Amino acid sequence: QKHTIERPQRPRHCHNIRIMKRLGFVAFLALFSCSSNAFPPTPTTRSVFQRDTIPTRKTLHQLLPTDEREKKAPWTRLLSSRLSSNVVSVAMIMASTLFLPWQLELGATPNTNALPAIHLTPSRANALTEEQALVADVWKEVTRQYVDTTYNGLGEDGWRQKRLDAVKAVTNIGPDDKEKVYSTIRNMLAALNDPYTRFLTPEQYDSLVNYAKGGSAGGVGVSLVVDPASGNVVVASVSKDGPAQKGGIVPGDVILDVDGMDMKAATAELVAAKCRGEPGSNVNMSIRHNGKTMAMTLKRAKIKVNPVEASTIMIDNKKIGLLKVAAFSQQTTSQIVDALRNVKGTSAIVIDLRGNAGGYMPAGVDVAKLFLEPQTRIISEVDKSGRATVYLSDGVGSDTKTPLYILVDKRTASASEILSAALQDNHRAVIVGASETFGKGRIQNVQGLEDGSGVAVTKAKYMTPTGKDIHGVGITPERKVPSCGPDDSAETCLDGII
């Protein structure tokens, strides 16, 4: 059976021509580009190139000597004028025509003798699919911001090859298979071996943005960090009498999913965002506890977080001021100032940072200022270009004399490490603990993408006052005390030290 296909007639005033490597097209432009108005930009479409012309007062014909001009025939002078007025445009179009496929649209009206307005757009033969474009966008943002210019030893060529491989891998994936695209992107980022540079799905990105905007006051009472060894989000500490503690969650438990959202490749901030909600509402969680997977439902509550708890203890007949800092927030610095007033006159001050996963980074810097001389280096923030932003102490009202001790453990991280390193390197405090600290010395930036997803990129690193990079290493206590675990008292940790 014969099938016939009728080709629809195109309107006479609009012709679409696909041209690739045709020099005849360039000749056409050269002959008929008679003035600077030969290529008027189309108002509704962005021009592909910028046109540059020789002023009409200085055409090639006019630049010739008088006797040479007189020898030229009128048609020659006309052709010279046409060529010279758009010579730059013709050269640019020639180069692009030779190397890229273009679509040419001629848009003159049928009732006029004017030359058609010419507009060039790249042919869709070279366009990326939406899935390929998403891969390319993620790669572009990481390349633009990532602090390690060696890309984990891959080099620029190796990292570029990862992009090509990922784009190729999603070539035949349709819009209904987004998870395959996301998996390909995560595999590409995994080559960086950086647990903090992560892809976020649109749902994950929205949750994180809403959390950053304030969100709800309810939560389950956990402090979270990413384990750099496994990439999992783990519990650093739990709030006393909070829903998590009542539900049996303890430090070290791994968060697997929250309300059905897989958290295997999530950030600690994202997991925290999903745990938050209206007080009294339920949240379903799966955790790994002592090697076993457990599912539980917790009722969110308004968490009463006391970032700073002040008290006094007696060690070897000495009255010691004890400040327990659970997390760093915008209020932490002022709270520590108030706490220092409450323990004024004590023989020494102890800051307990065990289980403190960090939080608001500037608070770690500001608290360090309370104990350091003016113009003392606290921390340096170094970006991918090697440019360093140095944070210095202003020394206003600081206590630089009272003996100072800091208690740490393997979950002391981020802003807590900034404070600890600043006081240790400047010989202002003695660090005491059973092990090295967590070792998070990187800063992330979360960038939204066009399709609603996002990517968290490690954009800078911290350097201690003496130039040490603690990332993945942590801070080593001067006094290692095996009995100074997360549940041991400060008196036990400091026995024989003060």
Side-chain angles (χ1 to χ4, degrees):
Q1 183 178 0
K2 182 182 289 187
H3 297 273
T4 61
I5 299 176
E6 293 185 1
R7 180 173 296 174
Q9 296 295 320
R10 296 182 183 275
R12 295 181 62 186
H13 63 279
C14 181
H15 306 277
N16 291 320
I17 306 170
R18 294 188 60 182
I19 301 171
M20 187 174 185
K21 298 183 180 179
R22 294 189 180 180
L23 293 175
F25 170 58
V26 179
F28 167 80
L29 292 174
L31 289 173
F32 291 96
S33 300
C34 60
S35 72
S36 61
N37 294 322
F39 296 96
T42 305
T44 58
T45 313
R46 187 177 63 183
S47 298
V48 176
F49 58 89
Q50 291 290 335
R51 177 173 47 78
D52 192 9
T53 63
I54 298 174
T56 54
R57 297 192 307 272
K58 295 293 183 180
T59 61
L60 179 62
H61 166 66
Q62 292 173 327
L63 292 174
L64 289 172
T66 305
D67 55 344
E68 291 295 327
R69 275 186 262 162
E70 292 174 352
K71 295 179 183 179
K72 286 186 174 286
W75 67 270
T76 307
R77 292 197 300 268
L78 176 61
L79 178 60
S80 297
S81 176
R82 289 172 177 172
L83 287 173
S84 61
S85 63
N86 283 293
V87 63
V88 177
S89 296
V90 171
M92 294 177 66
I93 295 172
M94 180 186 295
S96 12
T97 304
L98 287 173
F99 296 104
L100 288 174
W102 296 90
Q103 178 172 299
L104 174 66
E105 296 182 2
L106 307 177
T109 57
N111 297 325
T112 178
N113 293 324
L115 286 175
I118 300 176
H119 178 70
L120 292 172
T121 56
S123 168
R124 290 187 62 83
N126 275 11
L128 297 175
T129 65
E130 290 185 5
E131 293 71 31
Q132 290 174 323
L134 178 59
V135 171
D137 285 347
V138 172
W139 184 91
K140 178 181 176 182
E141 284 301 329
V142 174
T143 304
R144 182 175 67 88
Q145 302 183 51
Y146 196 57
V147 66
D148 180 9
T149 55
T150 71
Y151 303 102
N152 191 35
L154 294 172
E156 291 185 0
D157 291 340
W159 176 235
R160 190 177 296 110
Q161 186 61 46
K162 291 296 180 182
R163 173 190 181 275
L164 296 175
D165 293 343
V167 168
K168 183 179 179 180
V170 301
T171 299
N172 298 318
I173 297 179
D176 296 331
D177 292 324
K178 285 292 188 182
E179 285 303 323
K180 292 182 179 179
V181 179
Y182 299 158
S183 177
T184 301
I185 293 173
R186 292 186 180 112
N187 288 337
M188 177 180 71
L189 297 181
L192 299 174
N193 195 28
D194 178 4
Y196 305 106
T197 295
R198 299 191 170 198
F199 175 76
L200 304 173
T201 67
E203 183 182 5
Q204 291 174 334
Y205 180 71
D206 284 344
S207 296
L208 192 56
V209 170
N210 291 334
Y211 174 65
K213 289 180 178 178
S216 302
V220 297
V222 291
S223 174
L224 305 166
V225 294
V226 174
D227 181 1
S230 64
N232 295 322
V233 177
V234 301
V235 177
S237 63
V238 295
S239 299
K240 185 178 180 180
D241 297 327
Q245 187 184 61
K246 292 178 179 178
I249 295 178
V250 299
D253 287 352
V254 178
I255 307 297
L256 301 177
D257 73 69
V258 181
D259 278 341
M261 181 184 289
D262 185 9
M263 294 299 174
K264 186 170 69 172
T267 65
E269 293 80 7
L270 172 60
V271 177
K274 290 295 292 182
C275 289
R276 294 180 69 88
E278 292 301 321
S281 63
N282 290 333
V283 56
N284 299 311
M285 303 177 64
S286 292
I287 66 170
R288 186 182 299 126
H289 177 79
N290 292 332
K292 297 180 180 180
T293 299
M294 299 173 53
M296 61 180 63
T297 299
L298 302 178
K299 182 172 288 188
R300 296 183 179 97
K302 189 171 182 179
I303 305 300
K304 295 181 179 180
V305 179
N306 296 315
V308 180
E309 296 178 3
S311 62
T312 58
I313 58 177
M314 297 298 295
I315 298 179
D316 195 20
N317 295 321
K318 297 177 183 177
K319 189 176 182 180
I320 308 299
L322 176 63
L323 309 183
K324 172 64 177 176
V325 184
F328 284 92
S329 67
Q330 294 180 342
Q331 293 77 38
T332 300
T333 305
S334 61
Q335 290 171 341
I336 287 185
V337 170
D338 293 338
L340 289 173
R341 294 192 183 103
N342 294 333
V343 298
K344 190 175 181 180
T346 54
S347 300
I349 295 173
V350 177
I351 301 178
D352 191 348
L353 298 178
R354 289 176 294 173
N356 187 326
Y360 185 59
M361 185 277 287
V365 174
D366 291 339
V367 172
K369 293 178 180 180
L370 300 176
F371 302 98
L372 294 173
E373 297 280 355
Q375 298 304 304
T376 301
R377 184 187 292 259
I378 297 174
I379 206 76
S380 298
E381 182 182 311
V382 184
D383 63 16
K384 66 176 295 182
S385 67
R387 182 177 54 194
T389 301
V390 180
Y391 295 87
L392 300 175
S393 172
D394 50 32
V396 176
S398 59
D399 178 358
T400 62
K401 302 299 182 182
T402 305
L404 192 60
Y405 299 85
I406 298 180
L407 303 183
V408 299
D409 63 9
K410 62 182 180 180
R411 296 187 181 91
T412 302
S414 193
S416 296
E417 291 177 300
I418 289 176
L419 172 60
S420 301
L423 298 179
Q424 182 186 58
D425 281 11
N426 288 296
H427 307 290
R428 180 62 187 90
V430 176
I431 309 299
V432 181
S435 65
E436 286 74 17
T437 60
F438 186 82
K440 185 179 187 299
R442 297 292 183 265
I443 309 169
Q444 283 72 45
N445 179 53
V446 178
Q447 182 69 45
L449 301 173
E450 188 173 345
D451 74 328
S453 60
V455 59
V457 184
T458 299
K459 69 168 188 174
K461 61 184 178 181
Y462 294 129
M463 303 296 287
T464 71
T466 57
K468 292 182 292 186
D469 184 356
I470 65 170
H471 190 69
V473 179
I475 299 170
T476 301
E478 287 100 335
R479 303 295 297 270
K480 277 197 172 183
V481 181
S483 59
C484 188
D487 298 323
D488 292 314
S489 66
E491 291 91 336
T492 301
C493 293
L494 297 166
D495 185 31
I497 295 176
I498 295 183

